[in-house]
Amino acid sequence: MRKILVVGAGQSGLQLALGLQSHGYEVTLMSNRTADEIRSGRVMSTQCMFDTALQHERDLQLNFWESQAPKIEGLGVSVAAPGSWAEGPAARAIDWVGRLDGYAQSVDQRVKMAGWMETFAQRGGQLVIHGAAVSDLDYFSRTYDLVLVSAGKGELVSMFERDAAKSPYNEPQRALAVAYVHGLGPRPEHPEYDAVRCNLVPGVGELFVMPTFTTSGRADILFWEGIPGGPLDVFKGVKDPAEHLSLTLELMERYTPWEYARATKVELTDAGGTLSGRYAPTVRKPIGRLPSGGLVLGVADVVVANDPITGQGSNSASKCAAAYLASILEHGDRPFDEAWMQATFERYWATAQHVTKWTNAMLAPPPEHILNLIGAAGQLQPVADRFANGFDNPADFEEYFYEPEKAEAYLASVAGAGAGAGA
Ligand SMILES: Cc1cc2nc3c(=O)[nH]c(=O)nc-3n(C[C@H](O)[C@H](O)[C@H](O)COP(=O)(O)OP(=O)(O)OC[C@H]3O[C@@H](n4cnc5c(N)ncnc54)[C@H](O)[C@@H]3O)c2cc1C
């Protein structure tokens, strides 16, 4: 049977390794950490995944935590009135929630990756605990039919050339600060169901709040994305998790008091429940060339790393793994040559390009027609629902979001349909 090496045991690497294993491939998975180290380590993401990405996991029967993880049925947007925080806590200018057609879920990657890794080994997969270097890959590319590099944003990305035409940003666009907490109350607007809440503070940044399933059960995540150099960019060098949480809450009290109101009794889930950092969104060329001439194929974040402002990276990793798995299966016994590698990436990019375009657009100050759309969603429920479901299928934003004419035509059609229905 064909031998495949997967380097990096995150969302994409594990999904691919387990998928290939279930089809009888001889898979070696290389991870720089053991399952126990991952489980007892620091949180890595907020990892909210929407229906299409979750379905890829269900297709492989890897949805081990589906019944325990909170079902996220909505996606809400609140916008602080610009400058309203100058004299005291900010006021809300916009607040609505859209309903998702299929629910989303967040399973702490510490739980999921550790569990999947153990499953891979129990099913007879060869798990190697080793931080792979380029020299290792050079050696292994001669003994495996295919080497897939799914090592996320780690050092191995240096093997893959940055694709400047697809990467408009050179620098990080947000400073990230995550805290996992117990004790958060529900949003009073919809206590009967869970939603991802996106709170936009114009010119300052964003706060995302969402439920998750972590090592200690149900929890919620408070996730600040701050414009670099601005008032939210204050987490650098903060080592003490308690200090990280109190900074998070102080900022919430000032910029998103409506979220702070339900956070007054929170405590951190565990000592590893905080994370801060930043990275530049980058698309890379998919094929890495080794010193000896061998080729490796980059997977998910290695080749397309978007800012988490739209919560897409794990979704994309799942979609990438599904696309690559299909390409590998369809290819049969033919060699995994350069043309196949490029075509395999293009299959993924057909989806990923929409994610990159939308995410990069959301990082920039919104033009007037996008402000109009977000504002109109407060009065027109179909607009709110469509925006929410765009997180599952970002290609839909092409239809109404980017161009002012399309946005106006869409809003007019929804408003007209509403008026017609009411007449
Ligand atoms: C703060 C934050 C919030 C986020 N929120 C969301 C969200 O809500 N929704 C969403 O969809 N996405 C979100 N993302 C993005 C998402 O977490 C990533 O895009 C996703 O995990 C990428 O999957 P991956 O398989 O490419 O890489 P990863 O999940 O990063 O996995 C890579 C693995 O490779 C290992 N590795 C690295 N180097 C080596 C090496 N040399 N040898 C062996 N192993 C190695 C790493 O330790 C890691 O285990 C968020 C990201 C961040 C930072």
Side-chain angles (χ1 to χ4, degrees), residues 7-13 30-33 44-49 109 130-132 150-154 156 176 178 210 223 275 279 299-301 308 311-315 317:
V7 181
Q11 175 71 39
S12 64
M30 214 176 255
S31 168
N32 56 0
R33 288 188 297 165
M44 293 167 270
S45 178
T46 63
Q47 71 269 313
C48 181
M49 291 174 62
Q109 289 187 343
H130 177 65
S150 50
K153 295 178 279 290
L156 287 179
L176 317 174
V178 171
M210 73 197 78
F223 173 22
L275 173 73
Y279 59 89
V299 189
D301 264 16
Q312 292 295 303
S314 303
N315 291 273

Side-chain angles (χ1 to χ4, degrees), residues 87-99:
E87 303 292 322
R92 247 178 301 185
I94 291 171
D95 197 294
W96 49 258
V97 62
R99 295 302 290 253

Side-chain angles (χ1 to χ4, degrees), residues 267-346:
E267 50 190 50
L268 282 176
T269 54
D270 61 284
T274 61
L275 173 73
S276 62
R278 67 190 72 201
Y279 59 89
T282 308
V283 178
R284 296 178 185 278
K285 305 268 174 75
I287 302 171
R289 283 164 214 284
L290 294 161
S292 66
L295 302 178
V296 296
L297 177 62
V299 189
D301 264 16
V302 167
V303 283
V304 184
N306 290 308
D307 188 276
I309 191 167
T310 51
Q312 292 295 303
S314 303
N315 291 273
S316 294
S318 168
K319 292 171 186 177
C320 184
Y324 281 22
L325 177 62
S327 286
I328 292 169
L329 298 181
E330 287 164 16
H331 204 56
D333 287 330
R334 286 169 286 168
F336 297 112
D337 57 13
E338 186 165 355
W340 175 84
M341 287 185 180
Q342 190 63 43
T344 297
F345 172 73
E346 297 303 340

Side-chain angles (χ1 to χ4, degrees), residues 255-276:
Y255 294 105
T256 58
W258 55 91
E259 292 288 19
Y260 179 72
R262 61 179 175 137
T264 50
K265 293 193 178 67
V266 300
E267 50 190 50
L268 282 176
T269 54
D270 61 284
T274 61
L275 173 73
S276 62

